[in-house]
Amino acid sequence: METFDKKTESEKTNDIPKLYETEDVPTEKKIIHQKWEIAQIGFYWLIAELDRNENIAYGYANLNDDLFAEWGYISIEELIENNASLCKDWKPCTFEEAQKRLTQAPS
């Protein structure tokens, strides 16, 4: 299980925009800074904005169902409580590029 250590991860989150900073950016052009996942069941969350004080993110959630995947607010602490892992090898990219990466990922 991946834990989210605020001290060691804070430097990595400094580049993530605060909540509402990208609200004028079209969704396909939003930069996805982090990916969290529960790979065993095909759940993933793509993080575009982050409130570092409240540990609330804005991003895209796909709970193994492309039809019902959606943008919204995500509690990082709830992700951790549910054993989601932060993908350490994720490289920031646009949402459009992230979707391409995810569809090309091996099953």
Side-chain angles (χ1 to χ4, degrees):
M1 180 177 102
E2 189 72 39
T3 59
F4 189 70
D5 180 349
K6 289 183 183 178
K7 291 179 184 175
T8 59
E9 294 297 326
S10 64
E11 290 178 15
K12 296 176 187 173
T13 64
N14 285 339
D15 292 338
I16 302 176
K18 295 177 184 170
L19 291 183
Y20 310 109
E21 282 189 348
T22 70
E23 67 183 347
D24 293 331
V25 177
T27 55
E28 69 275 1
K29 300 298 180 195
K30 286 187 188 296
I31 301 298
I32 303 302
H33 294 272
Q34 291 182 339
K35 178 186 177 199
W36 288 77
E37 69 180 350
I38 303 176
Q40 303 88 329
I41 55 176
F43 288 14
Y44 67 86
W45 298 263
L46 303 175
I47 306 303
E49 301 174 350
L50 180 65
D51 179 326
R52 290 158 196 76
N53 295 323
E54 298 295 323
N55 239 359
I56 299 291
Y58 180 75
Y60 184 78
N62 186 321
L63 306 182
N64 200 14
D65 189 337
D66 294 341
L67 186 60
F68 292 104
E70 63 184 353
W71 286 87
Y73 295 92
I74 302 159
S75 166
I76 300 298
E77 295 186 6
E78 284 184 22
L79 292 179
I80 294 165
E81 288 171 8
N82 287 288
N83 297 320
S85 298
L86 175 62
C87 299
K88 300 278 188 180
D89 61 344
W90 183 261
K91 303 282 186 255
C93 64
T94 65
F95 177 68
E96 185 175 48
E97 179 61 30
Q99 291 294 85
K100 289 177 187 173
R101 282 190 206 172
L102 292 167
T103 57
Q104 295 171 355
S107 302

